[in-house]
Amino acid sequence: MQRRQFLIAPLALGGAVKASQRTGGGGLVWRQRALLGLGTTLTLQAAHADAAQVERALDAAVQAIRQVEVAMNLHRTDSELVRLNSQGFLDNPSNELLTVLNTAQYVSRRSGGLFDLSVQPLWSLYNQARQEGRLPTSAEIAAARRCVGWQGLQIRPQRIELRRPGMALTCNGIAQGRATDAARAALRYHGVSNALINAGEFTSLGHNAQGQAWTLGIEDPRDESRLLAALHNDGRSVATSADNRSHFSDDHRHHHIFDPTTGDSPPSLSSVTVLAPSAMLADALTKVMFVAGPKRIAALARLWQVDVLWVDKQGVWQATPGLSLA
């Protein structure tokens, strides 16, 4: 999983905890964890009246993230996803993998294929061409596209199959969202009511150490030191995808987000941020919006009942009305 380091960041006015421990209002003890996983740096901040309990909760959240990584990391030879891609089938898949693949198929179906986990052959082609100092030829792209198609994925509780020749999956467009949701659920299960979770995407519980709403800054995809906007988090999960963290050409025209119908990156947008009830859905929908393009985003946001902030290639951003901007 190779993706960005930070496209969203907790702002100081949102009360991000900078020390490993801190006591906030109401007698809450705050703890923070930082770890490497899912191709980026992950951070968890959580509070509880009992210091030992918040440590247990954070242990459980980290374990939940690791379970997602073990199932879906393309850089681990023992991951379920690597075995599925190499064999063309996987028996007795984990609940983690089934949850992600079933959600992905739902988004693919409802979006008319704008989201598709089976674009991995395109990523492999572009990555190989980049190593050779070039872009793929039209013939190479056409050959890779013949391996792509979400309809070729068959999911049953006891067996997953890839039914198209040369087919391979990537969960990079949804796994970080799943990890974020899993970490949040683990914290809640252990009694945590106030937390900020960054497991590749962001979600939160309650409030920060100052008793205020969490506030997140959206990075300018052309200037990592500058924020385009700040969001007052309203309890929904937040995911961002952008063309500047994994690209195949210096002008960012060709990057890690693919339009399955063309075999190339959608040309109009630089960044998309989605607020949705779950981080997994928000993560997948950033790609739906990217591929759909700016003229269709407002209608799609209404259809999916989410809010979106998008940035075009010229750096101009727009947002749906439901965003609470600081």
Side-chain angles (χ1 to χ4, degrees):
M1 295 182 183
Q2 290 181 313
R3 292 181 64 188
R4 76 278 184 185
Q5 193 71 359
F6 296 106
L7 289 173
I8 312 174
L11 299 183
L13 64 103
V17 179
K18 295 180 175 61
S20 61
Q21 66 180 61
R22 178 175 179 174
T23 302
L28 294 176
V29 179
W30 286 85
R31 293 287 192 269
Q32 178 170 305
R33 296 283 178 87
L35 60 149
L36 295 176
L38 301 168
T40 188
T41 301
L42 315 179
T43 58
L44 307 172
Q45 302 172 28
H48 197 279
D50 183 338
Q53 182 64 14
V54 73
E55 293 289 0
R56 285 191 289 269
L58 286 167
D59 287 343
V62 170
Q63 180 60 28
I65 292 169
R66 294 304 186 204
Q67 288 177 351
V68 174
E69 188 171 37
V70 166
M72 284 162 264
N73 193 328
L74 285 171
H75 299 285
R76 292 182 57 133
T77 56
D78 60 340
S79 78
E80 289 182 284
L81 191 59
V82 167
R83 287 186 283 131
L84 172 61
N85 285 343
S86 63
Q87 299 171 165
F89 68 92
L90 183 71
D91 290 326
N92 302 312
S94 68
N95 287 334
E96 283 294 343
L97 188 60
L98 286 171
T99 296
V100 167
L101 295 188
N102 279 315
T103 300
Q105 290 295 84
Y106 163 71
V107 175
S108 294
R109 225 172 9 252
R110 194 176 181 201
S111 70
L114 296 178
F115 180 75
D116 193 332
L117 294 186
S118 70
V119 296
Q120 178 62 16
L122 288 167
W123 190 93
S124 298
L125 169 63
Y126 274 82
N127 189 52
Q128 180 61 40
R130 175 173 55 185
Q131 294 176 21
E132 297 169 1
R134 63 182 182 89
L135 289 170
T137 66
S138 57
E140 289 172 327
I141 293 171
R145 281 186 57 217
R146 287 193 286 272
C147 304
V148 174
W150 62 273
Q151 301 93 333
L153 172 60
Q154 183 179 84
I155 305 170
R156 290 174 290 176
Q158 300 304 318
R159 188 178 176 93
I160 301 169
E161 292 185 64
L162 306 180
R163 307 296 293 271
R164 190 175 294 237
M167 191 175 183
L169 306 184
T170 172
C171 291
N172 286 3
I174 193 171
Q176 290 184 330
R178 171 58 185 167
T180 303
D181 290 336
R184 185 179 191 268
L187 292 175
R188 290 193 68 176
Y189 179 81
H190 285 80
V192 169
S193 300
N194 300 286
L196 181 68
I197 300 103
N198 165 23
E201 313 303 346
F202 275 84
T203 195
S204 63
L205 293 168
H207 55 71
N208 62 34
Q210 286 74 44
Q212 301 170 349
W214 296 101
T215 302
L216 302 174
I218 307 301
E219 178 190 287
D220 185 337
R222 293 295 174 267
D223 182 356
E224 298 173 18
S225 66
R226 176 175 176 264
L227 296 179
L228 287 176
L231 304 177
H232 287 309
N233 194 277
D234 57 9
R236 289 180 291 176
S237 298
V238 185
T240 294
S241 292
D243 63 7
N244 63 328
R245 295 301 191 185
S246 180
H247 51 85
F248 303 107
S249 61
D250 291 339
D251 62 0
H252 302 93
R253 171 61 185 84
H254 310 279
H255 51 83
H256 69 289
I257 299 171
F258 294 100
D259 181 342
T261 64
T262 67
D264 201 352
S265 302
S268 301
L269 296 173
S270 290
S271 176
V272 173
T273 296
V274 173
L275 277 72
S278 77
M280 183 163 51
L281 180 61
D283 198 4
L285 287 180
T286 60
K287 289 77 184 175
V288 170
M289 304 299 172
F290 236 110
V291 175
K295 293 182 180 179
R296 297 175 60 190
I297 286 179
L300 285 170
R302 290 191 296 269
L303 174 67
W304 288 90
Q305 297 184 344
V306 299
D307 279 297
V308 186
L309 183 151
W310 63 99
V311 188
D312 67 20
K313 293 291 191 185
Q314 289 71 48
V316 178
W317 65 271
Q318 301 179 63
T320 54
L323 288 181
S324 178
L325 299 177

